[in-house]
PDB file of all heavy atoms in Angstrom:
ATOM      1  N   VAL B  88     -95.720 -29.587-118.658  1.00  0.00           N
ATOM      2  CA  VAL B  88     -96.777 -30.539-118.295  1.00  0.00           C
ATOM      3  C   VAL B  88     -96.675 -30.902-116.814  1.00  0.00           C
ATOM      4  O   VAL B  88     -97.672 -30.912-116.085  1.00  0.00           O
ATOM      5  CB  VAL B  88     -96.713 -31.804-119.189  1.00  0.00           C
ATOM      6  CG1 VAL B  88     -97.615 -32.908-118.652  1.00  0.00           C
ATOM      7  CG2 VAL B  88     -97.087 -31.460-120.624  1.00  0.00           C
ATOM      8  N   LEU B  89     -95.463 -31.200-116.365  1.00  0.00           N
ATOM      9  CA  LEU B  89     -95.260 -31.542-114.954  1.00  0.00           C
ATOM     10  C   LEU B  89     -95.603 -30.388-114.024  1.00  0.00           C
ATOM     11  O   LEU B  89     -96.026 -30.606-112.888  1.00  0.00           O
ATOM     12  CB  LEU B  89     -93.819 -31.995-114.715  1.00  0.00           C
ATOM     13  CG  LEU B  89     -93.448 -33.368-115.266  1.00  0.00           C
ATOM     14  CD1 LEU B  89     -91.958 -33.616-115.092  1.00  0.00           C
ATOM     15  CD2 LEU B  89     -94.267 -34.460-114.611  1.00  0.00           C
ATOM     16  N   ALA B  90     -95.437 -29.165-114.500  1.00  0.00           N
ATOM     17  CA  ALA B  90     -95.747 -27.993-113.675  1.00  0.00           C
ATOM     18  C   ALA B  90     -97.202 -27.998-113.227  1.00  0.00           C
ATOM     19  O   ALA B  90     -97.534 -27.464-112.170  1.00  0.00           O
ATOM     20  CB  ALA B  90     -95.435 -26.709-114.442  1.00  0.00           C
ATOM     21  N   PHE B  91     -98.073 -28.619-114.010  1.00  0.00           N
ATOM     22  CA  PHE B  91     -99.492 -28.704-113.661  1.00  0.00           C
ATOM     23  C   PHE B  91     -99.790 -29.881-112.733  1.00  0.00           C
ATOM     24  O   PHE B  91    -100.910 -30.014-112.247  1.00  0.00           O
ATOM     25  CB  PHE B  91    -100.347 -28.827-114.928  1.00  0.00           C
ATOM     26  CG  PHE B  91    -100.430 -27.539-115.684  1.00  0.00           C
ATOM     27  CD1 PHE B  91     -99.505 -27.224-116.660  1.00  0.00           C
ATOM     28  CD2 PHE B  91    -101.432 -26.620-115.409  1.00  0.00           C
ATOM     29  CE1 PHE B  91     -99.568 -26.034-117.355  1.00  0.00           C
ATOM     30  CE2 PHE B  91    -101.508 -25.427-116.095  1.00  0.00           C
ATOM     31  CZ  PHE B  91    -100.574 -25.132-117.073  1.00  0.00           C
ATOM     32  N   ARG B  92     -98.801 -30.726-112.487  1.00  0.00           N
ATOM     33  CA  ARG B  92     -99.036 -31.935-111.699  1.00  0.00           C
ATOM     34  C   ARG B  92     -98.290 -31.973-110.370  1.00  0.00           C
ATOM     35  O   ARG B  92     -98.742 -32.615-109.443  1.00  0.00           O
ATOM     36  CB  ARG B  92     -98.648 -33.166-112.517  1.00  0.00           C
ATOM     37  CG  ARG B  92     -99.496 -33.294-113.753  1.00  0.00           C
ATOM     38  CD  ARG B  92     -99.130 -34.503-114.527  1.00  0.00           C
ATOM     39  NE  ARG B  92    -100.028 -34.606-115.678  1.00  0.00           N
ATOM     40  CZ  ARG B  92    -100.005 -35.583-116.525  1.00  0.00           C
ATOM     41  NH1 ARG B  92     -99.154 -36.561-116.385  1.00  0.00           N
ATOM     42  NH2 ARG B  92    -100.844 -35.594-117.534  1.00  0.00           N
ATOM     43  N   VAL B  93     -97.140 -31.347-110.304  1.00  0.00           N
ATOM     44  CA  VAL B  93     -96.316 -31.468-109.105  1.00  0.00           C
ATOM     45  C   VAL B  93     -96.849 -30.600-107.974  1.00  0.00           C
ATOM     46  O   VAL B  93     -97.355 -29.502-108.201  1.00  0.00           O
ATOM     47  CB  VAL B  93     -94.824 -31.133-109.383  1.00  0.00           C
ATOM     48  CG1 VAL B  93     -94.215 -32.143-110.331  1.00  0.00           C
ATOM     49  CG2 VAL B  93     -94.648 -29.729-109.909  1.00  0.00           C
ATOM     50  N   ARG B  94     -96.772 -31.118-106.764  1.00  0.00           N
ATOM     51  CA  ARG B  94     -97.214 -30.388-105.573  1.00  0.00           C
ATOM     52  C   ARG B  94     -96.121 -30.341-104.504  1.00  0.00           C
ATOM     53  O   ARG B  94     -96.119 -29.484-103.655  1.00  0.00           O
ATOM     54  CB  ARG B  94     -98.464 -31.047-104.964  1.00  0.00           C
ATOM     55  CG  ARG B  94     -99.671 -31.061-105.890  1.00  0.00           C
ATOM     56  CD  ARG B  94    -100.199 -29.633-106.104  1.00  0.00           C
ATOM     57  NE  ARG B  94    -101.315 -29.600-107.035  1.00  0.00           N
ATOM     58  CZ  ARG B  94    -101.208 -29.323-108.324  1.00  0.00           C
ATOM     59  NH1 ARG B  94    -100.042 -29.066-108.851  1.00  0.00           N
ATOM     60  NH2 ARG B  94    -102.270 -29.296-109.102  1.00  0.00           N
ATOM     61  N   ASN B  95     -95.219 -31.286-104.571  1.00  0.00           N
ATOM     62  CA  ASN B  95     -94.135 -31.378-103.611  1.00  0.00           C
ATOM     63  C   ASN B  95     -93.128 -30.254-103.867  1.00  0.00           C
ATOM     64  O   ASN B  95     -92.746 -30.021-105.017  1.00  0.00           O
ATOM     65  CB  ASN B  95     -93.473 -32.757-103.785  1.00  0.00           C
ATOM     66  CG  ASN B  95     -92.281 -32.954-102.914  1.00  0.00           C
ATOM     67  OD1 ASN B  95     -91.307 -32.218-103.017  1.00  0.00           O
ATOM     68  ND2 ASN B  95     -92.341 -33.957-102.083  1.00  0.00           N
ATOM     69  N   PRO B  96     -92.679 -29.553-102.839  1.00  0.00           N
ATOM     70  CA  PRO B  96     -91.725 -28.442-103.041  1.00  0.00           C
ATOM     71  C   PRO B  96     -90.439 -28.866-103.762  1.00  0.00           C
ATOM     72  O   PRO B  96     -89.891 -28.100-104.549  1.00  0.00           O
ATOM     73  CB  PRO B  96     -91.416 -27.955-101.626  1.00  0.00           C
ATOM     74  CG  PRO B  96     -92.537 -28.449-100.787  1.00  0.00           C
ATOM     75  CD  PRO B  96     -93.065 -29.687-101.431  1.00  0.00           C
ATOM     76  N   TRP B  97     -89.966 -30.068-103.484  1.00  0.00           N
ATOM     77  CA  TRP B  97     -88.759 -30.564-104.149  1.00  0.00           C
ATOM     78  C   TRP B  97     -89.012 -30.736-105.644  1.00  0.00           C
ATOM     79  O   TRP B  97     -88.176 -30.378-106.477  1.00  0.00           O
ATOM     80  CB  TRP B  97     -88.309 -31.896-103.537  1.00  0.00           C
ATOM     81  CG  TRP B  97     -87.823 -31.772-102.146  1.00  0.00           C
ATOM     82  CD1 TRP B  97     -88.576 -31.788-101.005  1.00  0.00           C
ATOM     83  CD2 TRP B  97     -86.475 -31.591-101.728  1.00  0.00           C
ATOM     84  NE1 TRP B  97     -87.774 -31.635 -99.905  1.00  0.00           N
ATOM     85  CE2 TRP B  97     -86.478 -31.523-100.319  1.00  0.00           C
ATOM     86  CE3 TRP B  97     -85.247 -31.502-102.395  1.00  0.00           C
ATOM     87  CZ2 TRP B  97     -85.317 -31.356 -99.576  1.00  0.00           C
ATOM     88  CZ3 TRP B  97     -84.101 -31.348-101.652  1.00  0.00           C
ATOM     89  CH2 TRP B  97     -84.138 -31.265-100.260  1.00  0.00           C
ATOM     90  N   ALA B  98     -90.149 -31.295-105.991  1.00  0.00           N
ATOM     91  CA  ALA B  98     -90.500 -31.497-107.397  1.00  0.00           C
ATOM     92  C   ALA B  98     -90.736 -30.160-108.093  1.00  0.00           C
ATOM     93  O   ALA B  98     -90.331 -29.973-109.239  1.00  0.00           O
ATOM     94  CB  ALA B  98     -91.732 -32.389-107.512  1.00  0.00           C
ATOM     95  N   ILE B  99     -91.394 -29.248-107.403  1.00  0.00           N
ATOM     96  CA  ILE B  99     -91.624 -27.916-107.974  1.00  0.00           C
ATOM     97  C   ILE B  99     -90.288 -27.251-108.300  1.00  0.00           C
ATOM     98  O   ILE B  99     -90.091 -26.719-109.392  1.00  0.00           O
ATOM     99  CB  ILE B  99     -92.462 -27.047-107.014  1.00  0.00           C
ATOM    100  CG1 ILE B  99     -93.895 -27.575-106.944  1.00  0.00           C
ATOM    101  CG2 ILE B  99     -92.447 -25.577-107.441  1.00  0.00           C
ATOM    102  CD1 ILE B  99     -94.739 -26.951-105.850  1.00  0.00           C
ATOM    103  N   ALA B 100     -89.351 -27.311-107.363  1.00  0.00           N
ATOM    104  CA  ALA B 100     -88.031 -26.705-107.576  1.00  0.00           C
ATOM    105  C   ALA B 100     -87.310 -27.368-108.748  1.00  0.00           C
ATOM    106  O   ALA B 100     -86.746 -26.681-109.615  1.00  0.00           O
ATOM    107  CB  ALA B 100     -87.196 -26.799-106.309  1.00  0.00           C
TER     108      ALA B 100
END
Side-chain angles (χ1 to χ4, degrees):
V88 169
L89 288 174
F91 287 90
R92 298 181 177 183
V93 295
R94 298 292 177 263
N95 176 299
W97 292 85
I99 290 170

